[in-house]
């Protein structure tokens, strides 16, 4: 029971506490459901939701009429902001979900700082898809319309990789990378031999994490 992002974080901390006592290297995937729907008022902390609903201008999301090819996403799976009130309600829930997720990610980072593991832990923050929250008149990801849309807000995936003192900070990569690439990249970065390269599409971009130049040749995906 409890707010989902909080419950997930509590379980994550319990796990890494156990790993810390074992004095071994650990790997942990923390799969927050946020900021997925539902975005109703009663689904999120009241003070956070109310603050967004009453005070936020949501200037990062332009007001656009509903896309003509939009698919209905009413109910638990999501909503469509047809009116200004609906738009404000949905965005208040969505922004609340992100805010609370950020707070709980901060709790995990605080644990690593406290245990003096922050600079010895590779952190990858990413997602499984982008999201149109009224952008282009669409409420949903690529499958928010039919035919599916390929707007950058739908297909670009947020990704932040961090390890203080080791991975360059404030570096933005403009190369076309894929989540297929995480597998060979992480193994290479950790110095683990990769014996499963046959027929796998991923390419290693670990040099980027080491502060080296990443050429187009390094990331070209070749298929037979």
């Amino acid at each position: 029971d409890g707010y989902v992002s909080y419950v997930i974080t509590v379980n994550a901390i319990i796990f890494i506490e156990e790993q810390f006592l074992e004095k071994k290297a650990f790997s942990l995937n923390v799969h927050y459901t946020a900021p997925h729907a539902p975005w109703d008022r009663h689904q999120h902390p009241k003070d956070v939701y109310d603050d967004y609903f009453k005070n936020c201008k949501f200037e990062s999301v332009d007001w656009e009429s509903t896309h003509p090819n939009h698919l209905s996403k009413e109910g638990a799976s999501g909503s469509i902001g047809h009116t200004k009130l609906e738009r404000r309600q949905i965005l208040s829930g969505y922004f609340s979900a992100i805010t609370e997720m950020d707070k709980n990610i901060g709790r995990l980072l605080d644990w690593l700082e406290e245990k003096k593991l922050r600079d010895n832990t590779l952190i990858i923050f990413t997602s499984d898809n982008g999201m149109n929250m009224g952008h282009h008149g669409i409420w949903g990801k690529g499958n928010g319309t039919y035919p599916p849309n390929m707007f950058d807000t739908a297909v670009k995936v947020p990704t932040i990789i961090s390890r203080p003192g080791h991975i360059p900070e404030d570096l933005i990569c403009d190369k076309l990378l894929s989540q297929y690439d995480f597998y060979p990249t992480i193994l290479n970065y950790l110095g683990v031999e990769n014996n499963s390269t046959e027929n796998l599409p991923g390419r290693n971009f670990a040099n980027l994490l080491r502060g080296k130049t990443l050429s187009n040749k390094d990331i070209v995906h070749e298929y037979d």
Side-chain angles (χ1 to χ4, degrees), residues 20-215:
F20 182 74
L21 296 176
E22 292 291 331
K23 299 294 183 183
K24 295 179 181 179
F26 63 84
S27 175
L28 172 65
N29 290 352
V30 184
H31 295 293
Y32 289 105
T33 57
H36 198 284
W39 303 305
D40 302 329
R41 181 185 298 270
H42 67 278
Q43 296 286 347
H44 303 281
K46 184 179 184 302
D47 58 334
V48 179
Y49 182 99
D50 287 348
D51 185 33
Y52 278 119
F53 185 78
K54 295 175 182 177
N55 303 314
C56 186
K57 296 181 180 180
F58 301 111
E59 294 176 328
S60 61
V61 184
D62 294 333
W63 172 267
E64 300 185 42
S65 58
T66 304
H67 195 283
N69 295 332
H70 208 300
L71 295 176
S72 176
K73 285 180 175 290
E74 308 296 347
S77 63
S79 303
I80 300 175
H82 290 299
T83 67
K84 289 186 177 181
L85 176 59
E86 288 179 353
R87 177 179 182 273
R88 175 163 290 276
Q89 290 172 333
I90 295 169
L91 291 176
S92 295
Y94 185 76
F95 278 46
S96 296
I98 292 176
T99 295
E100 293 306 298
M101 180 181 66
D102 285 350
K103 289 179 183 177
N104 282 282
I105 292 172
R107 294 176 61 203
L108 295 173
L109 296 179
D110 288 344
W111 185 91
L112 293 171
E113 293 277 7
E114 178 185 336
K115 302 298 184 183
K116 302 187 185 306
L117 293 175
R118 182 70 176 85
D119 63 352
N120 196 35
T121 303
L122 178 66
I123 297 174
I124 301 175
F125 171 85
T126 189
S127 180
D128 58 345
N129 54 260
M131 189 66 175
N132 300 292
M133 289 301 294
H135 306 85
H136 314 289
I138 301 168
W139 298 82
K141 47 195 174 184
N143 60 1
T145 58
Y146 186 82
N149 69 87
M150 292 290 288
F151 287 114
D152 60 349
T153 41
V155 300
K156 281 188 175 180
V157 178
T159 301
I160 302 173
I161 303 178
S162 174
R163 186 186 172 202
H166 299 272
I167 294 179
E169 298 182 8
D170 301 321
L171 175 66
I172 299 176
C173 177
D174 61 358
K175 299 292 191 297
L176 182 61
L177 301 175
S178 165
Q179 289 186 338
Y180 286 122
D181 303 327
F182 280 123
Y183 175 65
T185 297
I186 293 173
L187 290 183
N188 182 274
Y189 185 78
L190 298 177
V192 177
E193 186 175 356
N194 183 3
N195 296 318
S196 304
T197 58
E198 185 176 359
N199 296 324
L200 294 182
R203 293 294 181 267
N204 168 29
F205 63 86
N207 277 343
L208 185 66
L209 308 185
R210 300 185 179 102
K212 299 180 180 179
T213 301
L214 193 66
S215 69

